[in-house]
Amino acid sequence: MGPGFDLYTAGTSWLHRLDPRTKMTFVGASFVLLLLTGQIILVLAYLVVVHAVLRRAGIPWRRIGWLWARMWPLTLLILILWPLSNPGGEPVLVQWWWIRITLPGIGQGLLAGLRVNGLAFAVYVLLLTTDQSGLVQGLVGIGLPFEWGLALAIGLRYLPLLLGMYGTITDAQRARGWTPEEEGLVRRARAYGPTLVALVIGALRLTDGLTLALAARGFRPGQPRTTRRPLQLRWADRVCLAGIGVLTLALVAAEWIYL
Amino acid sequence: MAPFVVLDDVHVSYPSPGPGLEAPRILRGVSLSVAEGECLALLGPTGAGKSTLCLCLNGLIPHLVDGTFRGGVHIAGHSTREWTPGELSQTVGLVFQDAESQFVSMTVEDEVAFGLESLGLPPDEIEGRLAEALEVMEVGGLRSRSPLELSGGQKQRVALAAVMAMRPRVLVLDEPTTNLDPVGKAALLRAVSRLRVAWGTTIVWVTQDVDWVPHLADRVAVLWEGQIALEGGLREVFDQGALLRRMGLRVPQVRELAARFGSTGLGGYAWLGVDEAAEALRGRLGG
Ligand SMILES: Nc1ncnc2c1ncn2[C@@H]1O[C@H](COP(=O)(O)OP(=O)(O)OP(=O)(O)O)[C@@H](O)[C@H]1O
Ligand SMILES: [Mg+2]
C-alpha cells in the first residue's frame, strides 16, 4: 500500500496536538465559507493559508505534492467542463457550432476548481495530523456512534484514492496506448466501471469483516468504552476555536453585506 | 477437571452459493470438550472446517456469520447463544487465521489497546497490559507501525498480543505459526505456554505443524469430513499413523522414525519429541 492509504503523517506539532474536535470545527467552518463565497481570491487565499498551516505543522512538501497530484486530474476536468456547460453571460470568447465559452463561464470554472481543492484540503488538514484513534474519538465526540466513527475514519483514508481515481485510470489507459483526448466520454466513463465496482465491493467487504473483527475484540454496540488517550480541550484549542468562530462570522457577515 | 469448552453435536452450513446449489455442510455433528487449563491441538486437512469451528467458539457463528447452526456450544457452562459475541470475546479470545482480518487500527499500539478499551479498563491499566503484551510477543519495537505493513510473522504476533492482552480464559489460536520461521515458532509457543502457566488459560490450538504439537498440547483431536474422527492423548492419536495418512495428515517425524524401526532391534518405541528419542537411543546405542 502506497502513501495516502493512511494520510496521517506522524508528528508532534501544535496542529497534531490540537483536539480533533477543534480540527473538525475548522473543517466545518471551511466548508461553510468555501461553499458560500463566490470570490476566487478568497478561495485562493484560503488555500495559501492552509498550505502555510500545513508547512508550519511539519507536513513535507512531498506529501502535499502527492495530494495535489491526486487532485489535478479532477481539477482539470472541472476547468474544462464547467465553462462548456455554463455558457451564459458576456463577453463571449469562443462561439463555434454548439460550443460557446464566456468569460464568466471560465471564472465560474476556476472558482469551482479551486473550491474543490479547498474542500479537499480542509479535510486533509484533519486527516494529515490526526491519527485514527483521535479521528474516531473526535467523530464519537461530535455524536457519531462508535462503529460509524470507526468506519468513517477508515473510509476517509480512501479519499485521496477516490479523488485520484480519474488520474490513475487515465494514466493506466494511456500506458496502454489510449489517448483520452481522442476518445469519447462514454469510453472514459466505462473505464471507471471496474474500478468503481472494485471499490464498492472492497468497501462492503471491509464493513463486513470489520463487524467480525470488532466483535471478536470485545466491541459491544452501545456499550461505553474507555480510551488510552482521552481527548482534552486545551487552551490552544479554545484560542483556535474562538479564532475560527470570529473569522467565520466576520467573513459570512462580509459576504452578506457587500455581495 | 470439569469441561470448560463443550461442543455438543454442532452442525454448521454456509449459505448456498447460488440458486439450486446445495448449502455446504461444513460441520456435521461435532462433539468435543476441553477441560479448564487444558491445551487441545486440533488437526485436520485443509477445508475440514477448523476455522469454522473456531468461529463457533467465540460466538461469531451463529451470531454474525451467515449460515445455519444446530447443536450447542457451551463456554464455562453458558451457551454461546445467550451471549453476544462482544460479551463472549471477553472469555474466549480468537486469533484469526488471517491475522490481517482482525486488525481495526492503524498502529500496533492502538491495535493492542483496542480490546482493552472495549473492556472499559482505565488508561493506566491499558498502558500496563499493552506494554506487557508487546514485550511478551516481542513486538515492542513496532509500536507505532501500521499492522498492515508488517511481515506475516509480525502480524501474527501482534494479533496474538492484541488478544492475549484481554486475558481471555479460553484462547483459540487458528494456525498461529503458519508464517513463522522455526525460531519464531518456538518463541511463539514459549509465549503461549508462559500464558498457560501464568493464568491457567485453556487453549484450543488449530495447527498443521504436527512436529510442534507435543511442545504444547495435552490432547489432540482430528476434524475430518465434518466430524471429530479421532480424539485422545498424543500417543493414542499418533499411534494411528495409517489412519491419519488416509485423512491427509501425518504424525510427528520422530514418531514416524520410531514406527519405521518397526520390529527391528530398535522397535517398540513411540517417541513424540526429539529429546525423548535422543534419550532412548543414547540408552540403546551409547551403552
Ligand atoms: N463464509 C463462508 N461462506 C461460505 N463458505 C465458507 C465460508 N467460510 C468457509 N467456507 C468453506 O467452508 C469450508 C471449510 O472452511 P474452513 O476455513 O473452516 O476450513 P479449515 O479447516 O480452516 O481450512 P484451512 O486448513 O485451509 O484453514 C471450506 O470449503 C470453505 O470454502
Ligand atoms: Mg482455517
Side-chain angles (χ1 to χ4, degrees), chain A residues 132 157 217-218 225-226 228, chain B residues 89 104 111 117-118 121:
Chain A
Q132 181 183 315
R157 285 192 226 132
R217 304 287 291 291
R225 303 165 51 81
T226 48
R228 195 159 70 91
Chain B
S89 67
V104 294
E111 185 60 38
E117 294 174 337
S118 299
L121 298 176

Side-chain angles (χ1 to χ4, degrees), chain A residues 231-254:
Chain A
L231 296 188
Q232 210 183 343
L233 277 179
R234 284 177 253 267
W235 72 263
D237 288 295
R238 291 174 213 282
V239 171
C240 285
L241 283 171
I244 294 168
V246 169
L247 256 173
T248 312
L249 279 180
L251 287 167
V252 168

